[in-house]
């Protein structure tokens, strides 16, 4: 961002008192992971090699990623009063995430994601929103103090977009940095763009939103300019094995990925976002070079996650990151 805007935000981040460093607004699902050799074609019946339940949901995954790195994080979401909901809630509590802001209700079942993973680690995900679709503006209003007293607010699009807009309005009124992960991708109203400080799509989501696939630096520049003209000065595009593209106030760079043996890419993007937000919350001056260093660290943390199976089960702890790379200081 331009220096005057960043300094305006910096007062909130580095001088204000907060209930939590990072607040995540979003989805929580029970993931049903189905292992196959190859993805089925349309109309094809194949045998699954394995099936298991793993705690997930993009919002919950991002909160867990922050917590496992030692971040102080709260989570605003909705869970059904059922067996899956009980398991998910207890899991979030064990991660030392503030769950007082989670609403339990029997309007709908807890959200479920069906994740098909092939032998190359590629995945296909089908999501039943369940109670995630019931997360509403009243939930945001009832937890406005948590948002207002945080340093960073993260949200995705597995919940109603009007709920995200309401939360981002409260955040902006209180100098809280807003990070939008536009996944699953859908049309984004200009109102939400204007409330967003940082947007983090993957390459397919970036193409869907802008009409441009990020194949080259020129493409990435055009995507960054698209978001810039929507009032977002920082955009980061996760590019899978190519790394992550950074656009910041007219400057661009591709931060290379870490080469690892890929087992399962589920939650890699969520891990990246959690690690990015965690490091950003500890940064006292955001230059382009510092932003690229933060992205480099997030790439490293996400690389560990793809070497393991599942969503939350793959997200590394700080001790694993330090054990793999040494110091996490940037």
């Amino acid at each position: 961002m331009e220096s005057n805007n960043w300094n305006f935000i910096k007062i909130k981040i580095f001088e204000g008192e907060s209930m939590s460093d990072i607040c995540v607004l979003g989805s929580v699902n029970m993931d049903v992971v189905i292992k196959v050799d190859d993805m089925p074609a349309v109309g094809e019946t194949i045998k699954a090699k394995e099936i298991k339940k793993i705690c997930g949901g993009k919002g919950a995954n991002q909160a867990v990623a922050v917590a496992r790195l030692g971040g102080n994080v709260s989570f605003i979401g909705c869970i059904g009063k059922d067996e899956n909901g009980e398991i998910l809630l207890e899991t979030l509590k064990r991660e030392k995430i503030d769950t007082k802001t989670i609403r339990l209700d029997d309007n709908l079942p807890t959200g479920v994601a069906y994740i098909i993973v092939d032998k190359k680690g590629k995945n296909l995900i089908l999501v039943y929103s369940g109670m995630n679709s019931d997360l509403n503006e009243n939930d945001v209003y009832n937890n406005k103090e948590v948002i207002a007293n945080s340093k960073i607010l993260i949200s995705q699009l597995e919940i109603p977009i009007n709920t995200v807009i309401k939360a981002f309005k409260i955040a902006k009124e209180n100098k809280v940095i807003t990070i939008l992960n536009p996944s699953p991708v859908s049309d984004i109203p200009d109102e939400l763009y204007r409330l967003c400080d940082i947007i983090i799509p993957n390459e397919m989501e970036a193409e869907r939103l802008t009409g441009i696939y990020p194949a080259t630096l020129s493409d990435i520049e055009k995507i960054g300019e698209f978001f810039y003209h929507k009032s977002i000065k920082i955009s980061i595009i996760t590019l899978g094995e190519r790394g992550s593209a950074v656009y910041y106030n007219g400057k661009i760079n591709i931060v290379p990925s870490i080469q690892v043996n890929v087992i399962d890419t589920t939650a890699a993007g969520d891990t990246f976002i959690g690690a990015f937000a965690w490091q950003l919350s500890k940064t006292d001056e955001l230059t382009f070079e510092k932003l690229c260093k933060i992205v480099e660290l997030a790439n490293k943390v996400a690389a560990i996650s793809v070497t393991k199976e599942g969503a939350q089960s793959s997200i590394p702890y700080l001790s694993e990151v330090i054990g793999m790379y040494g110091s996490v200081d940037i």
Side-chain angles (χ1 to χ4, degrees), residues 3-201:
S3 59
N4 60 333
N5 287 342
W6 178 253
N7 288 336
F8 175 78
I9 295 171
K10 188 170 69 172
I11 295 171
K12 174 68 179 183
I13 289 184
F14 303 104
E15 297 176 9
E17 296 297 326
S18 63
M19 295 179 182
S20 60
D21 291 337
I22 297 166
C23 177
V24 179
L25 169 78
S27 58
V28 54
N29 294 324
M30 182 59 75
D31 291 348
V32 180
V33 181
I34 304 167
K35 301 292 289 296
V36 298
D37 283 330
D38 299 294
M39 291 292 177
V42 175
E44 181 183 15
T45 299
I46 65 172
K47 289 185 177 181
K49 297 177 63 178
E50 182 183 357
I51 185 168
K52 66 175 73 172
K53 284 186 175 184
I54 301 175
C55 297
K58 294 192 70 64
N61 293 344
Q62 291 167 14
V64 168
V66 174
R68 289 188 179 176
L69 291 171
N72 181 14
V73 57
S74 58
F75 180 76
I76 301 174
C78 288
I79 291 176
K81 291 183 178 179
D82 49 33
E83 181 181 1
N84 284 341
E86 291 176 6
I87 295 170
L88 290 164
L89 184 61
E90 288 307 311
T91 298
L92 293 173
K93 288 179 178 178
R94 283 199 302 270
E95 297 290 347
K96 297 182 172 58
I97 294 169
D98 184 355
T99 61
K100 294 190 294 293
T101 48
I102 294 178
R103 173 165 61 89
L104 276 69
D105 211 319
D106 57 6
N107 290 345
L108 292 167
T110 299
V112 181
Y114 298 92
I115 303 172
I116 303 174
V117 183
D118 70 14
K119 61 187 175 185
K120 296 180 181 179
K122 301 295 184 181
N123 63 50
L124 183 153
I125 304 174
L126 306 173
V127 178
Y128 167 68
S129 295
M131 278 300 298
N132 294 314
S133 65
D134 202 50
L135 184 61
N136 56 52
E137 295 182 36
N138 285 335
D139 293 304
V140 171
Y141 181 81
N142 292 337
N143 295 292
K144 63 181 180 180
E145 293 301 319
V146 175
I147 296 171
N149 288 287
S150 296
K151 299 175 181 180
I152 296 172
L153 173 65
I154 306 171
S155 190
Q156 329 74 38
L157 298 179
E158 286 186 333
I159 59 174
I161 202 161
N162 287 339
T163 304
V164 180
I165 290 172
K166 176 69 173 180
F168 275 31
K169 282 181 178 178
I170 293 171
K172 297 309 296 176
E173 289 167 358
N174 291 277
K175 306 178 186 177
V176 177
I177 288 182
T178 53
I179 298 177
L180 179 65
N181 172 215
S183 180
V185 67
S186 63
D187 293 335
I188 297 176
D190 285 344
E191 181 180 17
L192 180 54
Y193 276 126
R194 288 192 295 269
L195 295 167
C196 181
D197 293 313
I198 302 171
I199 190 166
I200 309 180

Side-chain angles (χ1 to χ4, degrees), residues 1-7 228 233 248-249:
M1 293 181 182
E2 295 169 349
S3 59
N4 60 333
N5 287 342
W6 178 253
N7 288 336
Y228 182 89
K233 295 183 176 65
Y248 177 30
N249 204 26

Side-chain angles (χ1 to χ4, degrees), residues 40 75 101 111 149 169 219 288 313 315 323 327:
F75 180 76
T101 48
N149 288 287
K169 282 181 178 178
D219 297 328
F288 180 73
S313 57
I315 298 171
S327 173

